[in-house]
Amino acid sequence: MIGLISATAAGAAARDRLAAAWPDRTRVYEGPVGDAVRTAFAQCEQLVCFLATGAVVRLVAPLLSGKTEDPGVVCVDEGGRFAVSLLGGHAGGANELAREVGDLLGAEPVVTTATDAVDLAGLDTLGLPVEGDVAGVSRALLDGEAVALRAEVAWPLPPLPVTDQGSYTIRVTDRLVEAAEREVVLRPPTLVVGVGASKGAPVEEVLGLVEDALRGAGLSVASVAELATVDAKAEEPGIVEAARRIGVPLVTYSAEELAGVDVPNPSDAPLAAVGTPSVAEAAALVGGGELLVPKRKSAASPAMATCAVVRRPGRGRLAVVGLGPGARDLLTPRAKAELRRASVLVGLDQYVDQIRDLVRPGTRILESGLGAEEERARTAVEEARKGQAVALIGSGDAGVYAMASPALAEASDDIDVVGVPGVTAALAAGAILGAPLGHDHVSISLSDLHTPWEVIERRVRAAAEADLVVTFYNPRSRGRDWQLPKALGILAEHRTPATPVGVVRNASRPDESSRLTTLGALDPATVDMMTVVTVGNTATRDIAGRMVTPRGYRWQSAQEGSE
């Protein structure tokens, strides 16, 4: 919960805007400011104080306990110009909260945490349990000292400026180890513990068995991702409470699913009891992985619990990111976040140049020239299969004549794939022209490099006969100068010469140009590969120099009746 505190009418107005925008996340604290801050500090994970930073410093100073215990605190000034991350930038989430508050109120976020200031991923912000010399290793990264990465298990980390050798170390492991001097240990959630239990098995027996099994195998409980069992044990109190105490979800599977898993130690007892020859091993192995601890029983007599431990390999992550038509303000916040998250960036060199300043230090950039789309797709998938966090970029929307389809054709279910939509060239051009896409429309590429012209022509003819607004991508190049006239001729068989046509070149870029002409007047020689051509349907009109397609044909009939 986020506590909101204000002292003035202006502060209360901004406070109420936050409360209205985040009704489920916020609580307003009224009354004397000192009392409100003290109460909110004790009750909330974060605070937003519409007060001077000095006043908040004096109020919270006596309340501070420690970096990992204190809530995050953000201060917003009386004029609403700045959102200052004052306390708990990483551990308390104040840095991100300052950015959120800034976005909502139109304030400038002020973040002074060193790693954030130079755009390095904070070691305590990766969403993984972290131990060791976080401050020392972070300082070494900031100072440009050699920091080695020792990844004993694969995990899709964000970019970090690391090397193979160094006097400081970031160790990624699920082993039960203590951090050495000048070392940080990151513990990814790679372990799945399968659990079986007789009815009424006490939580102490279940939990003790799990902890003993992990400790005996030299594995850290901090890397346990989940406890898994059969559906019939979904509400078994000892198992449910053990998962709660460890702090992981309890995942259950049907007896039929578990019975289909090949295990080394099947048994007749669980088969008779719940319908599968294995619970612990099968539940741990159902998602694949390496069996590190075969089924073992608790030490009680009689034993009422069993467990097994599996290491599932870290899944690589492939984000297919649409960069939009070119303008920086048409690059979505989600796309920016994925670019910052990726440790490997794959893309066409000219697109990489557009966003090179947005990628974090340590990002490995794999760029290539025109005509290497399939190679880039394969490279991105291969890097993700190595356990990397990869961003594969394309212009506009990556799923529209771009990189999503070749990448997904290469990808299998062994990696996670995230699609990040972008503003397409057709949409950018449509906004410049007016409202040409107000009714049904279609986009057709006139490039016959990947699609036979016979297929393209059939599609153009179908769109012409269906009276669809048509946006032509890749309309004309030096080596392809006859396709656009041919396509326009097909449309002209079904539309008048006065049909509005919009021509937009380099939509949203500094050298953008656009014009509104007609089907009869358009000179194809004025069009190139950087141009989008939008041809209206029989209802499209030129209204005050803007291209408008009505949402329905009734509008056209009413207009014609008044003429």
Side-chain angles (χ1 to χ4, degrees), residues 190-283:
T190 56
L191 305 177
V192 177
V193 180
V195 179
S198 302
K199 184 175 182 180
V203 61
E204 290 77 12
E205 183 174 345
V206 176
L207 187 59
L209 171 64
V210 170
E211 292 175 341
D212 287 347
L214 291 167
R215 186 167 46 250
L219 300 170
S220 172
V221 69
S223 282
V224 174
E226 63 190 42
L227 261 58
T229 191
V230 67
D231 283 348
K233 299 296 179 179
E235 298 181 3
E236 184 63 42
I239 297 178
V240 172
E241 179 63 14
R244 189 193 69 79
R245 292 190 190 181
I246 296 173
V248 297
L250 177 63
V251 179
T252 65
Y253 301 96
S254 69
E256 290 76 16
E257 287 179 278
L258 298 186
V261 178
D262 186 28
V263 298
N265 300 293
S267 173
D268 292 335
L271 180 61
V274 293
T276 172
S278 172
V279 173
E281 287 182 341

Side-chain angles (χ1 to χ4, degrees), residues 271-343:
L271 180 61
V274 293
T276 172
S278 172
V279 173
E281 287 182 341
L285 284 167
V286 70
E290 177 188 3
L291 183 63
L292 301 180
V293 179
K295 182 182 72 174
R296 58 179 290 179
K297 297 181 180 180
S298 56
S301 183
M304 299 184 70
T306 60
C307 82
V309 182
V310 163
R311 176 186 288 139
R312 289 183 184 168
R315 291 171 64 87
R317 189 175 191 277
L318 173 61
V320 187
V321 181
L323 300 180
R328 178 58 60 84
D329 59 355
L330 292 181
L331 178 66
T332 67
R334 188 180 301 180
K336 291 179 183 178
E338 290 294 346
L339 293 175
R340 290 167 51 80
R341 177 172 181 167
S343 59

